[in-house]
C-alpha cells in the first residue's frame, strides 16, 4: 500500500523578554535553581499576574512577519492539569481567542519549488518549570526558574508531507523569530522547541491517528524522529495493528521514539477564561509602535540579494540564513566593492574558518569591514587570491587590517613586467634540460609542462608575481 | 443535561477532589441542576451579543518589561516540605 505522511508542528518559542510574562522575575538562562522564581511564578495564594507589554509587542511582530490576522482582542485562559513543574495547577494560555490568527510561510523545497505552509494560530502562554528525574532518593527535583517565561506557541496546519518539509518549515519559523528579534532560537537551551504531530494514511485517504513527538532539540533530530515514527506507524498498520494517540519521546541515542508512560492523565484541560486577566485590546497606536523598526524579512532580503548582487537563489538563501550573516555580507560588499567575490569568500573561506572554530558569524574575529578591506585588495589586483588566503589567516589569528599586513610583509603582487621577466629569465636559465624537453614536446604536453615553470617562478617570487603575467611571459620565452 | 456517577468521578479525579462514594449521587444531582440552568440560559437568543470574557468592561493593563523581583529562594523554601540543592523535592512523577 502507498502511504502518505501528514505532519503538523507545534513550536514553542521563548520570547526574548528580560522579565517573565506575568511577573518581574528575570528570565536569564542558567541561574541557580529557583533563584528566579518569585511568588507569582510559584503560584502562592493572593498573587495576581500582570501582563508584560513586551511579550505582546513580540506577538504583534510575529503576526506581521507571517502575514497573519492579528486579533485586536485576545483572551487568556486557564489550561488545567496537575504536574509538579506547574505550581498553580493550571497554565495561563490562550484558547478560544488567541492573539495571532491564521497566517502562512513559504518554504523552499530541495527541488527548488516553493510551498506554502499554513499557520493555524499562535498564542501567548507561560512556560512551565523543569522536572529533574535524576536520583533524589526516589524523588523528583523541581526548578521553577523557567516557570512563567513567555512563550509564543505557533501551531501549523497539517500541511507537511515529509520529514524534510517539516524541517524546512521549522527552520523557516526559526529564521523569522530570530530576524525579528523575538527569540534567540537556541534549541539546546530549549528556547525553541518543536513538537511534531505525525500520522500516516493511505494516499489521499482519511487522516490517520496521530502520535505527538516530543523531546526534539535539533533540526537533525526532528527529521530523524519523524522518519522513525513514520516507519513505526507503517509497521503497526501493515501488521494489522492500530496506531494509538499518544505522546512519544524521541531518544537521540537510540534513534527511536518511545511511548511516554507518565502519570499524566489523558488530555482534558477544561479551559476557561482566566478571571485574573482582562482581555488584551490592541489599538492602532500600540500596533504601529510594535511594528516600528521591523527589519526586512528573510524572503524579501533573499529576493533583493538575488537582484541587487546577482546571486543565485541558493547563494542568496545561504547568505540570508540569519540576519547577522546577511548584515555581515552587505557590510563586506560595501567595503569590497565586489558582491560576487564577497559571496565566495564568506561562504567559503570565512564559513570554513568559523566552522572549524565552532563560532557563529557574530563571533568572527574578522569583522565585515576588515574582510571587505582584504577583498578590495584582491579586486584591485594588489594581491592574488592565493596570497589573500595567507593574509586572511593572519587576520584570523593575529587580527589587524589587510593593508597593514600586505605592507608589513611585502605581499604586494608584482605586476611590473620587467621584474617578472627577470625572474622568468632566471628560471629558464636554471633549468636547461626542462626547457629542452618542453621545446621537443607537442602542444598538449607543453600545456602541462608549463605548470612546472609557473611553479618555479611563483616560488622565486614568494607567490607575489601576477599569475596571468607569469603565464604569458613564460610562454613567450619558452617558445622563442 | 444530566451527569452520571461516572462523570462526577472523572471530574473529581481531574480536579484532585476526594468525593465519598455515598455523596456521588447527590453531587451528580446538584451539578446536573446547575447544568440545567446553563441549558436554560443557552436557549436565550444571543445573536448579536458579544461574548463576555470578563465581567469588567476594561482592557488588560500592561507592565513594562523590567526585572523587579529579587531572589527570595531561602524564604520561599522555608515552607516547602522538602528541598535539596535549591530544588523543591516532590514524589516521583515519571515511572
Amino acid at each position: 500500500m502507498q502511504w502518505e505522511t501528514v505532519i503538523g508542528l507545534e513550536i514553542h518559542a521563548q520570547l526574548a523578554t528580560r522579565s517573565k510574562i506575568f511577573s518581574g522575575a528575570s528570565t536569564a538562562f542558567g541561574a541557580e535553581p529557583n533563584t528566579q522564581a518569585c511568588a507569582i511564578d510559584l503560584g502562592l495564594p493572593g498573587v495576581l499576574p500582570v501582563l508584560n507589554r513586551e511579550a505582546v509587542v513580540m506577538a504583534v511582530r510575529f503576526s506581521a512577519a507571517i502575514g497573519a490576522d492579528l486579533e485586536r482582542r485576545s483572551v487568556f485562559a486557564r489550561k488545567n492539569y496537575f504536574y509538579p513543574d506547574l505550581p498553580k495547577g493550571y497554565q495561563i494560555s490562550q484558547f478560544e481567542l488567541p492573539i495571532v490568527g491564521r497566517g502562512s510561510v513559504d518554504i523552499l523545497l530541495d527541488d527548488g519549488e516553493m510551498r506554502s505552509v499554513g499557520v493555524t494560530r499562535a498564542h501567548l502562554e507561560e512556560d512551565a518549570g523543569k522536572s529533574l528525574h535524576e536520583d533524589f532518593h526516589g524523588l523528583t527535583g523541581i526548578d521553577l526558574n523557567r516557570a512563567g517565561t513567555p512563550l509564543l506557541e505557533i501551531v501549523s496546519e497539517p500541511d507537511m508531507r515529509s520529514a524534510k518539509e517539516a524541517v524546512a518549515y521549522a527552520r523557516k519559523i526559526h529564521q523569522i523569530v530570530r530576524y525579528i528579534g523575538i527569540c534567540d532560537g537556541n534549541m539546546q537551551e530549549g528556547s525553541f522547541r518543536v513538537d511534531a504531530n505525525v500520522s500516516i494514511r493511505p494516499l489521499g485517504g482519511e487522516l490517520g491517528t496521530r502520535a505527538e513527538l516530543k523531546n526534539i532539540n535539533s533540526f537533525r533530530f526532528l527529521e530523524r524522529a519523524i522518519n522513525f515514527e513514520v516507519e513505526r506507524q507503517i509497521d503497526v498498520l501493515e501488521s494489522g495493528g492500530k496506531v494509538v494517540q499518544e505522546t512519544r519521546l524521541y531518544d537521540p541515542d537510540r534513534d527511536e521514539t518511545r511511548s511516554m508512560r507518565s502519570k499524566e492523565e489523558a488530555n482534558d484541560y477544561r479551559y476557561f477564561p482566566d478571571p485574573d486577566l482582562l482581555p488584551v485590546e490592541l489599538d492602532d497606536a500600540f500596533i504601529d509602535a510594535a511594528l516600528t523598526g521591523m527589519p526586512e524579512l528573510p524572503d524579501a532580503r533573499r529576493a533583493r540579494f538575488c537582484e541587487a548582487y546577482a546571486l543565485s537563489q541558493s547563494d542568496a538563501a545561504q547568505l540570508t540564513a540569519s540576519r547577522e550573516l546577511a548584515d555581515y555580507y552587505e557590510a563586506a560588499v560595501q567595503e569590497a566593492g565586489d558582491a560576487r567575490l564577497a559571496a565566495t569568500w564568506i561562504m567559503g573561506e570565512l564559513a570554513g574558518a568559523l566552522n572549524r572554530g565552532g563560532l557563529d558569524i557574530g563571533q568572527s574575529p574578522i569583522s565585515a569591514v576588515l574582510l571587505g578591506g582584504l577583498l578590495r585588495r584582491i579586486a584591485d589586483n594588489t594581491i592574488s587570491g592565493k596570497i589573500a588566503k595567507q593574509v586572511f589567516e593572519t587576520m584570523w589569528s593575529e587580527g589587524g587590517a589587510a593593508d597593514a599586513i600586505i605592507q608589513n610583509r611585502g605581499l604586494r603582487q608584482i605586476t611590473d613586467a620587467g621584474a617578472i621577466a627577470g625572474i622568468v629569465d632566471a628560471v629558464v636559465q636554471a633549468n636547461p634540460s626542462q626547457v629542452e624537453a618542453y621545446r621537443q614536446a607537442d602542444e598538449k604536453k607543453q600545456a602541462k609542462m608549463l605548470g612546472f615553470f609557473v611553479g618555479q617562478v611563483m616560488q622565486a617570487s614568494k607567490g607575489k608575481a601576477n599569475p596571468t603575467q607569469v603565464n604569458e611571459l613564460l610562454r613567450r620565452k619558452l617558445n622563442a | 443535561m444530566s451527569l452520571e456517577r461516572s462523570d462526577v468521578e472523572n471530574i473529581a479525579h481531574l480536579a484532585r477532589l476526594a468525593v465519598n462514594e455515598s455523596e456521588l449521587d447527590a453531587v451528580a444531582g446538584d451539578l446536573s441542576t446547575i447544568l440545567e440552568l446553563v441549558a436554560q440560559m443557552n436557549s436565550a437568543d444571543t445573536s448579536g451579543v458579544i461574548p463576555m470574557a470578563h465581567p469588567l468592561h476594561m482592557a488588560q493593563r500592561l507592565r513594562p518589561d523590567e526585572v523587579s523581583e529579587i531572589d527570595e529562594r531561602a524564604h520561599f523554601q522555608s515552607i516547602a516540605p522538602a528541598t535539596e540543592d535549591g530544588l523543591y523535592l516532590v514524589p516521583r512523577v515519571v515511572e
Side-chain angles (χ1 to χ4, degrees):
Chain A
M1 166 133 25
Q2 183 96 1
W3 297 101
E4 182 176 42
T5 305
V6 178
I7 305 161
L9 298 185
E10 286 169 20
I11 294 176
H12 288 85
Q14 277 186 352
L15 298 175
T17 55
R18 285 187 285 273
S19 64
K20 295 194 176 168
I21 185 166
F22 299 120
S23 85
S26 170
T27 55
F29 182 82
E32 283 291 300
N34 292 307
T35 55
Q36 292 175 174
C38 72
I40 292 173
D41 308 325
L42 296 180
L44 292 182
V47 298
L48 271 182
V50 187
L51 184 57
N52 185 336
R53 167 185 295 271
E54 199 56 25
V56 180
V57 165
M58 289 176 173
V60 171
R61 287 167 79 90
F62 179 76
S63 178
I66 61 159
D69 305 321
L70 178 66
E71 301 302 338
R72 299 243 172 181
R73 186 167 179 276
S74 65
V75 171
F76 282 96
R78 293 185 179 182
K79 178 180 179 176
N80 300 281
Y81 66 93
F82 289 95
Y83 207 72
D85 57 24
L86 187 75
K88 294 191 294 297
Y90 60 85
Q91 177 192 29
I92 304 177
S93 180
Q94 296 189 305
F95 185 55
E96 282 173 323
L97 297 167
I99 187 161
V100 180
R102 227 188 140 78
S104 69
V105 296
D106 290 332
I107 56 172
L108 190 59
L109 302 179
D110 281 349
D111 56 11
E113 212 181 304
M114 280 285 201
R115 180 200 257 270
S116 174
V117 175
V119 172
T120 316
R121 57 182 283 164
H123 59 259
L124 287 167
E125 62 182 26
E126 58 180 342
D127 209 342
K130 273 185 193 164
S131 302
L132 301 152
H133 302 296
E134 292 95 65
D135 196 28
F136 291 100
H137 338 287
L139 298 172
T140 292
I142 304 293
D143 176 7
L144 296 170
N145 279 351
R146 197 178 69 177
T149 297
L151 293 176
L152 189 65
E153 177 174 339
I154 304 156
V155 183
S156 84
E157 291 287 297
D159 280 353
M160 289 149 281
R161 295 288 172 270
S162 70
K164 276 199 174 354
E165 286 182 25
V167 170
Y169 165 79
R171 281 189 184 278
K172 191 54 178 268
I173 296 291
H174 187 254
Q175 184 186 37
I176 290 171
V177 296
R178 293 186 63 222
Y179 256 76
I180 62 176
I182 66 169
C183 173
D184 69 20
N186 189 325
M187 294 178 84
Q188 291 301 316
E189 292 178 3
S191 309
F192 188 88
R193 311 197 288 271
V194 183
D195 299 337
N197 288 310
V198 178
S199 63
I200 59 167
R201 62 178 175 191
L203 196 58
E206 299 266 308
L207 276 179
T209 306
R210 64 168 199 261
E212 185 177 7
L213 311 184
K214 285 181 181 281
N215 197 38
I216 299 167
N217 62 7
S218 76
F219 294 119
R220 192 162 53 99
F221 291 161
L222 175 62
E223 185 168 348
R224 287 198 193 168
I226 292 171
N227 283 333
F228 174 88
E229 182 59 20
V230 168
E231 288 304 314
R232 187 191 71 87
Q233 291 186 13
I234 291 175
D235 286 349
V236 168
L237 292 180
E238 289 191 341
S239 59
K242 268 190 170 167
V243 174
V244 282
Q245 185 167 341
E246 61 179 350
T247 300
R248 298 179 68 86
L249 294 184
Y250 178 66
D251 179 345
D253 295 328
R254 300 167 71 166
D255 191 23
E256 62 178 25
T257 65
R258 279 202 302 275
S259 182
M260 187 174 93
R261 270 179 285 271
S262 76
K263 291 179 186 169
E264 220 175 332
E265 297 299 323
N267 298 354
D268 186 349
Y269 295 126
R270 297 149 293 141
Y271 285 95
F272 62 89
D274 191 329
D276 286 346
L277 289 151
L278 290 154
V280 179
E281 287 176 8
L282 306 176
D283 57 20
D284 288 343
F286 185 93
I287 295 166
D288 290 347
L291 297 181
T292 320
M294 271 282 272
E296 186 180 22
L297 293 167
D299 287 350
R301 204 162 190 188
R302 190 187 61 225
R304 181 168 64 79
F305 273 27
C306 286
E307 186 80 9
Y309 303 121
L311 299 175
S312 68
Q313 277 282 345
S314 70
D315 285 358
Q318 208 180 324
L319 288 166
T320 53
S322 75
R323 191 174 157 189
E324 294 76 16
L325 181 60
D327 287 347
Y328 187 103
Y329 173 72
E330 295 210 274
V333 169
Q334 197 163 27
E335 194 67 22
D338 188 330
R340 200 46 268 158
L341 192 63
T344 309
W345 272 73
I346 288 171
M347 291 186 294
E349 213 67 21
L350 182 70
L354 290 170
N355 208 12
R356 282 191 296 279
L359 304 173
D360 62 42
I361 189 72
Q363 300 164 302
S364 170
I366 303 178
S367 72
V369 170
L370 286 177
L371 183 72
L374 169 64
L375 303 180
R376 192 171 59 225
R377 293 299 166 239
I378 304 175
D380 69 10
N381 269 324
T382 305
I383 53 173
S384 66
K386 205 168 167 195
I387 291 287
K389 287 184 185 177
Q390 284 179 34
V391 178
F392 178 88
E393 275 165 30
T394 308
M395 291 168 76
W396 182 271
S397 51
E398 296 165 31
D403 282 349
I405 295 167
I406 294 166
Q407 184 67 32
N408 294 342
R409 308 200 171 188
L411 296 173
R412 184 175 283 276
Q413 185 161 251
I414 303 169
T415 51
D416 171 15
I420 297 175
I423 304 171
V424 166
D425 286 346
V427 166
V428 168
Q429 260 166 35
N431 300 284
S433 59
Q434 279 89 343
V435 172
E436 197 47 39
Y438 178 92
R439 287 182 173 147
Q440 303 292 327
D442 61 32
E443 242 178 75
K444 219 173 155 190
K445 269 197 174 156
Q446 282 186 340
K448 277 188 192 162
M449 293 165 83
L450 189 69
F452 164 77
F453 297 102
V454 174
Q456 295 290 310
V457 174
M458 293 313 279
Q459 207 177 352
S461 73
K462 300 200 177 70
K464 293 185 295 185
N466 180 300
T468 318
Q469 287 173 284
V470 170
N471 271 284
E472 179 57 32
L473 286 166
L474 266 173
R475 243 191 236 105
R476 245 190 276 160
K477 183 84 188 167
L478 291 168
N479 295 335
Chain B
M1 182 187 172
S2 72
L3 293 175
E4 304 292 325
R5 279 172 69 100
S6 60
D7 295 324
V8 177
E9 282 171 340
N10 184 37
I11 296 165
H13 177 66
L14 286 169
R16 300 298 189 272
L17 293 174
V19 180
N20 283 335
E21 191 77 8
S22 60
E23 296 170 315
L24 282 176
D25 286 325
V27 172
D30 289 348
L31 290 177
S32 298
T33 312
I34 295 171
L35 290 178
E36 274 159 31
L37 176 65
V38 174
Q40 195 183 343
M41 291 193 287
N42 262 344
S43 66
D45 179 11
T46 55
S47 52
V49 178
I50 300 165
M52 183 177 73
H54 200 282
L56 298 180
H57 285 286
M58 290 163 67
Q60 177 64 35
R61 276 186 55 191
L62 303 174
R63 49 166 255 277
D65 180 25
E66 284 161 11
V67 175
S68 56
E69 296 287 341
I70 53 159
D71 172 21
E72 293 186 89
R73 183 175 76 180
H75 183 50
F76 293 138
Q77 293 202 332
S78 65
I79 55 165
T83 60
E84 188 174 314
D85 298 340
L87 298 165
Y88 293 92
L89 296 186
V90 299
R92 204 164 172 77
V93 279
V94 171
E95 280 160 21

